Amino acid sequence: GLIVLPLELLIGNNLIGLPFFKENPFYFLIGGISVNILAFVVLLMLYKSTLKKQWQQYRQHLWRNLLLALVLVVVSHLLIQFIRGALPENLIKIPADTADSGVLQTDFKENRQLVALFLAALPSFIAPFSEELVFRYLLVGKAPNHFIRGIMLFIQAILFGLIHYANFNGNLYATIPYMTVGFFFGLIYLVYRNIWGSLMVHWIFNTVNQMIPTLFIIVLTLLGIAN
């Protein structure tokens, strides 16, 4: 399970180096999301019994847990904003030509542009499942004792931030807020002792940040309100 995310990043980040994908950015998006889905399916197959068992526990107080998850999502947002505000602005400034915007500004026409927009947001929708299983369940939850668990809490937070470096065009300083929220997700997992505790917070966090705004833009475009 631990090698799934590194392989996903290795393959996904090197697809653009292949001539076919470099010349066809739309298919690069399809290739990238296919790698994300494959990683998700592999981890789901490996840990489906754990997910099912812990879901049965989580759903016993489902509405209370979902309400708490919403509160924790707000706290996560505030935490990121606080850390960003505390860091020197020149260190975390992101160049305008990010990888994602570079893809989305290519010659996609009509409905294909909307499909590309949706595909670019889709990884954020499924990533919480893979990331929570690896970072929180495997690295923190499988630690053999409290001492190692405490060390892994910090290590997984750093790794969680680093895997998002592409979101910030390779600016490692800009990943520090995500390291902080990764630590926060780790604490949530330790309190719940249930992967769904941190997974639902992470999934709602990503959905609110990326998937919902993307769907909103797509709907407005289809209605002719936005371009």
Side-chain angles (χ1 to χ4, degrees), residues 165-186:
Y165 78 100
N167 296 24
F168 307 102
N169 204 26
N171 185 341
L172 293 181
Y173 292 106
T175 67
I176 293 176
Y178 273 59
M179 294 180 187
T180 306
V181 83
F183 183 83
F184 183 57
F185 289 161

Side-chain angles (χ1 to χ4, degrees), residues 84-94 171 173:
R84 282 177 178 164
L87 293 171
E89 187 175 349
N90 63 305
L91 289 181
I92 62 174
K93 186 176 181 180
I94 309 301
N171 185 341
Y173 292 106

